[in-house]
Amino acid sequence: MIGYTNLNFKKSSMIYIKDQNPKNSFYIITKGKAISYGTFNFNIEFNKGDIIGLVNAFLNEPYFFNIKALEDVEVIEIEIDDIIEMNNKELMVKIADNLDAAFEKWLGRYYLLLSENKEITNGKTQEEILNMIKVYHKNGFHNISYKLCKEYIKSFPKCEEIDEVNKYLSEITPIEEPKKINNNLYKYKKGYCIYTELEYTDKVYIIESGKVGIYNIVNLEQVTRAIYSKNHMIDGYQPILSYQPLSTCAVILEDSTIKVLTKDELISIMENDQSVELYYSKMVCMKIRNTILKIIVLNTDDILAKILITLYYILKTETIPEGSNSINLLYTLNDIKTIINFKDTQILKKEFNKIRGAQISANNYINIVDIKAFFIEYKNCMNRIANIHHI
């Protein structure tokens, strides 16, 4: 049976303090209201039933913002270590649902800041889909373009641009479908599009080997959302929110072996193996952490800071061999350029070259050659922009 402690916070008292190292626990609010402040130009209110401090405790990351009690607040405190041993299905589901909702909330804020089109829409327009086809085709992601063409023809069979779309389609050789190795394991060929922004699945994809890129189109530009490798988990679930830039596509960047599970299969595995539940929760926590840092990137004008923060969360997502002080990342300088929404490659490269511990390889990939030196520079950067921008 999982244990917990009841705690009380008086009105206006601090629950968490920005930049402090986290406790090995989190809180579930059972009474009262709390609010975050001190990081962004907006505050977040937390109410009865909300979970706070979970992401930081899971990842052992300093708190991203202050949280104080708006009124007298009561919480239960749960130790992270207890989650590993727990058999409380209701709490497991609550944690997973809370993390999923938090991730979408932060992701929605990120794309509202990034996108020039702030409207909430119920679907991609004919023009938007055609633009997506053109962008992916131009960038060499032909299988994404191929699948988008198929969706376009299906949705708009009598439109004026149908001949143009058919021309794109005729120029693309489709990539063979994944080959099943066993019940849940598949072999994917390089370039294959698992899903597009126009389609959703109930599947979870666990990468056994290879690389998968996550992309979407924002402001008529292809944005690199993330690049994942062995042991990472991705999904193609439909966003709960209606804001369309939350939708993404997934494409195989090198021949890959991937375990494919339905959400129900994943939940069933979690019920019988708490380590899988912990793994899933940690994956979502990393996505939340990364998205919060992306928002910080968009809220600072310092180009060097933008690069350092972006490389930091990419590095923290990677699995670094024990004892190693260097790693070659899966990201190119152009990936960084699209992530931070910066247009000038020359200025970007000039600023990048100021970073201690990081280099650009001959084929334009990012190498962290001194991880310890890089983390020191990142910490100094965060202190500097905190003083300037009061984030």
Side-chain angles (χ1 to χ4, degrees), residues 174-240:
I175 295 173
E176 66 181 83
E177 292 298 309
K179 290 183 178 179
K180 183 183 287 189
I181 300 173
N182 60 32
N183 288 340
N184 295 108
L185 201 62
Y186 291 82
K187 187 73 175 179
Y188 287 79
K189 287 288 188 182
K190 179 180 177 179
Y192 183 83
C193 176
I194 303 175
Y195 56 82
T196 73
E197 289 101 315
L198 304 182
E199 57 186 343
Y200 307 107
T201 76
D202 68 340
K203 303 291 195 300
V204 172
Y205 304 87
I206 302 173
I207 304 170
E208 300 279 333
S209 67
K211 291 194 299 186
V212 179
I214 309 297
Y215 305 94
N216 63 359
I217 305 299
V218 180
N219 305 335
L220 300 180
E221 295 282 346
Q222 181 177 324
V223 176
T224 303
R225 276 275 303 277
I227 297 174
Y228 295 120
S229 56
K230 184 178 179 179
N231 292 333
H232 282 280
M233 180 188 295
I234 60 176
D235 64 66
Y237 300 160
Q238 182 172 3
I240 298 168

Side-chain angles (χ1 to χ4, degrees), residues 42-149:
F42 49 82
N43 300 326
I44 301 170
E45 189 173 293
F46 301 96
N47 299 286
K48 180 180 178 180
D50 285 337
I51 299 175
I52 55 176
L54 178 60
V55 173
N56 303 86
F58 253 124
L59 301 180
N60 194 29
E61 290 270 354
Y63 294 115
F64 303 119
F65 36 69
N66 302 302
I67 298 181
K68 73 174 181 180
L70 275 177
E71 54 193 41
D72 289 352
V73 171
E74 296 177 7
V75 304
I76 57 173
E77 181 180 28
I78 300 176
E79 298 288 330
I80 289 294
D81 294 340
D82 287 340
I83 298 177
I84 302 172
E85 306 297 332
M86 74 179 178
N87 290 307
N88 188 324
K89 181 179 177 181
E90 183 179 352
L91 181 58
M92 286 169 59
V93 171
K94 182 176 181 63
I95 288 172
D97 287 347
N98 181 273
L99 287 173
D100 288 342
F103 176 52
E104 283 219 2
K105 182 185 293 184
W106 285 113
L107 202 58
R109 291 186 184 277
Y110 169 66
Y111 276 107
L112 282 170
L113 285 170
L114 182 63
S115 179
E116 294 169 356
N117 177 11
K118 307 296 184 182
E119 295 181 2
I120 304 295
T121 60
N122 293 319
K124 297 287 187 184
T125 66
Q126 185 175 328
E127 181 183 6
E128 286 172 328
I129 298 171
L130 186 58
N131 284 330
M132 290 162 61
I133 291 169
K134 293 177 179 178
V135 172
Y136 283 125
H137 191 273
K138 179 188 71 174
N139 292 343
F141 288 79
H142 294 144
N143 199 239
I144 305 175
S145 186
Y146 179 86
K147 290 193 171 185
L148 290 172
C149 285

Side-chain angles (χ1 to χ4, degrees), residues 14 39 72 90 100 128 143-144 146 153 156 169 215 245 253 267 289 328 330 350 386:
M14 298 300 298
T39 297
D72 289 352
E90 183 179 352
D100 288 342
E128 286 172 328
N143 199 239
I144 305 175
Y146 179 86
I153 292 169
F156 313 105
L169 202 57
Y215 305 94
L253 298 181
I267 291 172
R289 185 262 323 275
N328 298 334
L330 303 174
K350 180 180 177 182

